């Protein structure tokens, strides 16, 4: 009888712990458009780097930080018409002739896998994460690999990173000025902020 009492006590102690591990909380974060920023960098025909800012329209990140490979996901919708290089005529050309925003008003990113996730040594340091995802731009979908640093706070996440793609991959004409051609490679730097949801 005493043995069964011990077994029951043991199970009543262990099962709640196991359930916490097995069903850890999946947290959800709504991405903050005002705090988030995406910068696309490309060389102009004279070799100067042109920085174009894009605005996140909406997005969400979710997952359990202990099980990102199984539970993590990220989705972003970016307003293509928000492209801003601080030069009005250039903005108009990029929006109308290259991004063709009337036909393709948004750029989308959806993660398909968390390839790598390294926990930080302390809460003040970021996670090191590598995302695989599907980028939809100019009506074309391509797989991209995105390395990023994720700083987790109690009610907020901040993700920063960069990746590269070519204009031709997405059927975007490489801009020209007479016989001079702009760069084909686009470097994207991003800072995405998410607010935790109940």
């Amino acid at each position: 009888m005493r043995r069964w009492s011990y077994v029951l006590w043991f199970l009543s102690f262990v099962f709640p712990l196991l359930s916490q591990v097995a069903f850890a909380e999946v947290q959800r974060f709504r991405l903050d458009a005002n705090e988030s920023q995406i910068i696309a960098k490309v060389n102009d025909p004279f070799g100067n780097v042109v920085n174009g800012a894009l605005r996140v329209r909406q997005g969400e990140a979710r997952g359990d930080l202990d099980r990102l490979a199984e539970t993590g996901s990220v989705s972003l919708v970016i307003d293509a018409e928000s492209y801003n290089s601080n030069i009005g005529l250039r903005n108009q050309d990029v929006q109308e002739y290259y991004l063709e925003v009337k036909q393709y008003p948004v750029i989308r990113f959806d993660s398909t896998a968390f390839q790598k996730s390294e926990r930080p040594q302390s809460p003040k340091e970021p996670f090191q994460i590598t995302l695989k995802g599907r980028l939809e731009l100019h009506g074309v979908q391509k797989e991209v690999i995105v390395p990023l640093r994720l700083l987790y706070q109690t009610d907020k996440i901040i993700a920063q990173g960069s990746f590269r793609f070519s204009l031709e991959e997405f059927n975007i004409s490489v801009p020209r000025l007479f016989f001079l051609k702009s760069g084909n490679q686009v470097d994207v730097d991003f800072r995405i902020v998410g607010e935790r949801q109940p």
Side-chain angles (χ1 to χ4, degrees), residues 5-122:
S5 299
Y6 173 76
V7 169
L8 290 174
W9 173 86
F10 178 78
L11 292 176
S12 68
F13 177 76
V14 169
F15 269 119
L17 293 178
L18 290 176
S19 66
Q20 286 177 15
V21 172
F23 302 103
E25 180 184 5
V26 173
Q27 300 178 52
R28 187 170 67 91
F29 295 85
R30 188 181 69 240
L31 303 186
D32 187 331
N34 294 321
E35 293 290 327
S36 302
Q37 188 176 47
I38 297 174
I39 303 292
K41 302 178 179 181
V42 65
N43 288 342
D44 71 10
F46 303 104
N48 302 310
V49 177
V50 175
N51 294 322
L54 291 154
R55 182 178 173 83
V56 177
R57 183 182 287 185
Q58 65 186 56
E60 182 179 87
R62 61 172 62 214
D64 169 11
L65 291 173
D66 293 321
R67 300 180 301 128
L68 282 178
E70 298 87 9
T71 64
S73 68
V74 178
S75 63
L76 288 175
V77 179
I78 300 156
D79 185 357
E81 198 170 1
S82 68
Y83 178 87
N84 181 13
S85 66
N86 294 320
I87 297 178
L89 288 176
R90 179 192 287 145
N91 298 343
Q92 187 176 338
D93 281 351
V94 169
Q95 292 166 10
E96 186 173 345
Y97 300 114
Y98 300 106
L99 293 178
E100 298 183 274
V101 298
K102 293 202 183 304
Q103 188 173 355
Y104 310 108
V106 297
I107 301 163
R108 297 180 184 274
F109 174 82
D110 293 290
S111 66
T112 55
F114 278 68
Q115 288 191 319
K116 177 179 144 188
S117 176
E118 293 181 11
R119 293 189 71 89
Q121 297 295 318
S122 76

Side-chain angles (χ1 to χ4, degrees), residues 130-180:
T130 302
L131 275 182
K132 181 191 286 187
R134 184 174 56 252
L135 178 63
E136 181 180 340
L137 168 62
H138 197 241
V140 177
Q141 292 186 3
K142 291 283 183 181
E143 185 179 89
V144 293
I145 304 296
V146 183
L148 60 89
R149 300 172 305 281
L150 178 72
L151 187 62
Y152 171 76
Q153 299 170 351
T154 305
D155 57 355
K156 181 185 287 189
I157 54 170
I158 301 171
Q160 292 181 279
S162 60
F163 66 98
R164 172 179 286 186
F165 66 87
S166 71
L167 295 172
E168 291 174 342
E169 284 181 272
F170 292 91
N171 295 335
I172 299 175
S173 301
V174 177
R176 289 177 175 271
L177 182 61
F178 302 113
F179 57 88
L180 296 175

Side-chain angles (χ1 to χ4, degrees), residues 175-188:
R176 289 177 175 271
L177 182 61
F178 302 113
F179 57 88
L180 296 175
K181 203 173 184 181
S182 295
N184 181 37
Q185 298 295 319
V186 180
D187 290 308
V188 179

